[in-house]
Amino acid sequence: MSVIKIRGGRHLDGTVDVHGSKNAVLPILAASFINGGISIIHNCPDITDVRTSIAILEHLGCEVTFKDNTVTVNSHNVTGTSIPDELMREMRSSVIFAGALVSKMGRAELSYPGGCKLGHRPIDLHLNTFRKLGIIINEEHGRIQCDATQVTPARIFLDFPSVGATENIILAAIGGEGVTTIINAAKEPEIVDLQNFLNSMGACVRGGGTDVVEITGGRPLGDCEYTVIPDRISASTYMAAVVAAGGTGEIRNVVPNHVSAFIAVMRECGASVSVRDRTIRITSSGKIRPVKLINTMPYPGFPTDAQSLVMSIMSVARGTGIIKENIFQGRYAHANELARMGADISIADKIAVVRGVRRLSGCDVYAADLRSGAALAVAALAAEGETTVHNVHYIDRGYECFDRALASLGADIERIDDIE
């Protein structure tokens, strides 16, 4: 068991480099199973979700090495089609292996995925779209079996632009002959990154970043080398830390367009933000203006993964702001922990009303999921006294060396491992 101790109340001044994208690298690792060759993947963050993905690949017969943020996958001799329950339970994104397995092996067997508890997150959308590709689905005793003698191309309309469903369709369709079209596809940068990785191994995927994606399946695939995009939520987290605590921070290795919605909100909070190439410089006096209304939306709207960060900032704003969470149920778990620190937050269904207080007070708080853990750390930087963040294993799922990154920005932070 590990905790992070943060002594707040001091302005930040420093520089941090953003690691590779968690949400991009996980489907890319799943895709490396398909090509039957060598995939060299650079800029992979050393986080527990990546380690879990590697364990799944190894279980399926891949040879994998991970050194200096580069993962090398050899999928020459894969034989597996089934993922054990204990690995599926480790993370939500494990469901993405279903598309890769069907594409390569014509069969997949897995259980329902685990990960952060964010309310009702059904995978029915994934399974229904699989059926449209001619895949036979059998659900029994908590296991899901997907069988496809041949993936059939189709035109698939998504009722909601789900990132995971879009990725799973792309991966499954790679293994079929003909053209599959996804209408109302997710437009997130991570979809573009998956498309570019697949094309680097010889696939033909077009339209990533738009609402219509076209996959031409059945092309010969081979060895590839690729570099993962930077993590836009990590970049947002470090910006939020500077705004909450006050001071100046330089966030390097960022694709600014990927965080444009977050930058707009930081400016509305009163921060000064300048962008040059792949570097963002942000300055805050610590006197935060409230944001009148934030709606979480699919990209390019404001990301649900950054909602908790803004709630922490607004907790010490000079006025009242409103957040509406439109993507996931159960994503306000951090509100109760912020209240323990003195925040004034009212929750009604999808709406959170945040009334800024003069100051927060450090105390023991408990992360309920990955993003709430990061948000509590951001709040701790603005609080008086010492805050201890528990359940750090959630933070480890998506942030590489989180304590060191905040320390490089000037935070007074310490990680303590092996606490009983």
Side-chain angles (χ1 to χ4, degrees), residues 7-13 241-242 244-247 380-383 407 409-413:
R7 289 159 285 276
R10 58 184 286 179
H11 280 203
L12 302 185
D13 184 12
V242 173
L381 293 170
L409 282 172
D412 186 352
I413 184 170

Side-chain angles (χ1 to χ4, degrees), residues 311-312 314-317 319-321 335-347 352-360:
M311 184 177 286
S312 291
M314 290 171 61
S315 294
V316 289
T320 299
N336 288 335
E337 298 304 299
L338 289 173
R340 290 167 59 89
M341 301 176 72
D344 184 355
I345 304 169
S346 302
I347 306 290
V353 179
V354 187
R355 303 171 185 86
V357 298
R358 183 177 178 84
R359 63 177 61 87
L360 298 175

Side-chain angles (χ1 to χ4, degrees), residues 236-354:
S236 299
T237 302
Y238 304 137
M239 283 190 275
V242 173
V243 172
T248 297
E250 194 168 270
I251 323 296
R252 301 186 303 200
N253 188 33
V254 187
V255 179
N257 285 344
H258 292 175
V259 291
S260 57
F262 194 83
I263 288 174
V265 169
M266 294 302 93
R267 285 173 172 155
E268 193 172 345
C269 287
S272 171
V273 184
S274 61
V275 176
R276 183 177 180 183
D277 297 326
R278 293 169 66 91
T279 297
I280 294 172
R281 185 175 178 83
I282 185 165
T283 300
S284 170
S285 66
K287 299 176 181 179
I288 300 165
R289 296 197 299 259
V291 181
K292 293 182 179 179
L293 175 63
I294 291 177
N295 274 293
T296 62
M297 299 289 287
Y299 189 86
F302 191 87
T304 180
D305 282 352
Q307 172 258 108
S308 58
L309 300 172
V310 174
M311 184 177 286
S312 291
I313 293 170
M314 290 171 61
S315 294
V316 289
R318 299 186 170 190
T320 299
I322 296 174
I323 300 171
K324 185 178 181 184
E325 174 55 60
N326 297 297
I327 308 299
F328 293 131
Q329 299 174 359
R331 199 145 210 184
Y332 285 140
H334 48 281
N336 288 335
E337 298 304 299
L338 289 173
R340 290 167 59 89
M341 301 176 72
D344 184 355
I345 304 169
S346 302
I347 306 290
D349 193 24
K350 297 180 179 181
I351 303 295
V353 179
V354 187

Side-chain angles (χ1 to χ4, degrees), residues 22-65:
K22 164 192 177 290
N23 290 336
V25 73
L26 300 182
I28 284 173
L29 286 171
S32 71
F33 177 80
I34 298 175
N35 68 342
I38 305 293
S39 301
I40 302 172
I41 308 164
H42 301 292
N43 201 33
C44 296
D46 192 354
I47 56 178
T48 55
D49 274 12
V50 165
R51 295 285 179 176
T52 299
S53 292
I54 289 172
I56 292 173
L57 287 169
E58 290 175 332
H59 176 82
L60 295 171
C62 296
E63 297 176 10
V64 187
T65 61

